[in-house]
Amino acid sequence: MVKNTAKAAKKGAISIKNVTKVYDPGGVNVMAVDNCSMEIAGGEVCMIVGPSGCGKTTLLNAIAGFHSITEGSIEVDGELLCGPTKPKAEQGADRMVVFQHGALFPWKTLQENVAYGPTVQKAMSSGEAMDKAGQMLAEAGLGSFIKKFPGEVSSGMARRAEIVRALINNPKVLLLDEPYRAMDALTKQIMHESLLETYDRTGVTIFFITHDLEEAIFLGDKVHIVTTRPCQLKKTVEVNIPRPRSYETQSSEEFRKLLDEVNEAVHEEAVKAFKAGERELA
Amino acid sequence: MDSTTVKASETSTTSAPQGFDMVMYRIKKHFTRVDPYLTIIGIFLWLFAYWVLCEGLKIWRFDKLPGPVAISKDWFSTTPFQGISIFTQEYYDHIVVSCRRILIAFGLATSLGVPLGLFMGWSRSIRDFVFPIIELLRPIPILAWVPLSILLLPGFEGPVIFLATLASFFVTTLNAMLGVDSIDEEYFRAAGCLGSSRWDVFVNVVVPGALPFIFTGLQISIGVAWFSLVAAEMVSGDLGLGYLIVDAYMNNVTVPMVIAMITLGFIGYFSSACVRAVGNKLMEWHVKELNQQGR
């Protein structure tokens, strides 16, 4: 198996063009995403920040192929995923999702979970896949837990294993939907370091949704701040802090400045979202 | 060396007990808790109340029933006064016949009900096709099927097994279907992402994900199978524990009647325990997950 190196790092450019998504629950049209465009370069860590319920997950679901879009198009490496003629993208192992609540199969051990993808895609025999899975889990520091079920390990370990399960398929894009939301600050730190280490090693494109602004700046190359529903791109903040980044980065002057900038933009949207919520409930 | 370091070195050298020692340790540990004593006291209290009502005070109406002393005298006697004891062949004939019927009925219901329920949960069109009919037939009490089953099937065996199968089939099917409904949507999405075919999803997500519900259903369904079996044996039977109860009642011998009832209790308990054990064996992940949560 070839490891993703600098050459492969160019892969996985996502181009979101004028995407609109209208839900219609109970006959009332709700616009979740309105004419949203975004360009994500291959091998970039792209962080999406915005108020709750603003349509970030809708965007992720469209890229992953869980939901259709109403208008616009999404391309990966110039290949059309979904567009006017094909509203729903097909699900595929080139775009791997890591879920908010964790979706390791609880009835399979960590090793079986990781080996699952290559086995069903018939990319490897099940024996090979199990060996490779064991090896990759060991690299992620989970070597002594490969025979454990997800219910037996901590949430941090499960999340790391889930990322390994995604990476074994050599995806172009990793889609993460608030994967560290329910974690305590200490576990989060370790998760960040582990993700950055993985990124430095594989150079996979990362599309990461979060509410945590420090997380966004610490991990990202770019932070896209989106507006409250309907979701549009409000502002893009470039993070030029060199990699590899360590935890001390977070106390630097530059980091603080970026944080203020992002905070200001997000706060404005959060206030809008809150008022809109009050109106809706009134 | 002070006392704390001595203690520490002692604990570090003692390894976990092995084999027989482990069993003894577990038993000892079990009896240091209060619940086994409560169970024992509970059983004696019930037996005592039963004895007081039937034999001690001979309360009105209860004096017609055989008490615990009369029953155990006959049950464990080589020459039972009322014909049934653990030393008579007849007793075992009834047990074997009932158990065989349950095995066939429960086996049939499970092998038909589980796949049908899974497919109903998995595929919208199969559900639309089958579910309304099942929901229509399910509320019909199993005893209402008795005449029809006697008309439909020849002999004693057919109708009895049919009724037990039917009752247990509905429970199993419904639980298997609800089991699929209970699976979190994210597992299906994850499986799709990882490149599963529709069949991969069925084998790797639908079946294992529905197992906890299926086994809850099977435990209920084996109970329902016993219930309808005995009811059927009472109406149409030549042998079996249900038949023994009615037959004893008709012949005015009350001791075999109660012996058959208690025997049913024990066998029912044992059969549920077997189903549970198989379930725990198949769902190691689930057992471990519950253990982790301290349950």
Side-chain angles (χ1 to χ4, degrees), chain A residues 29 55 64 78 95 97 105 117 134 162 190 258 264:
Chain A
N29 284 355
R95 287 152 286 137
V97 180
F105 302 126
E162 202 176 342
I190 294 167
L258 286 167
E264 199 185 329

Side-chain angles (χ1 to χ4, degrees), chain A residues 1-4 118 123-124 132 135-136 167-170:
Chain A
M1 214 69 210
V2 201
K3 239 183 208 169
N4 269 336
M124 298 180 199
K132 176 81 181 160
Q135 185 197 328
M136 285 187 73
L167 289 173
I168 197 173
N169 303 293
N170 283 319

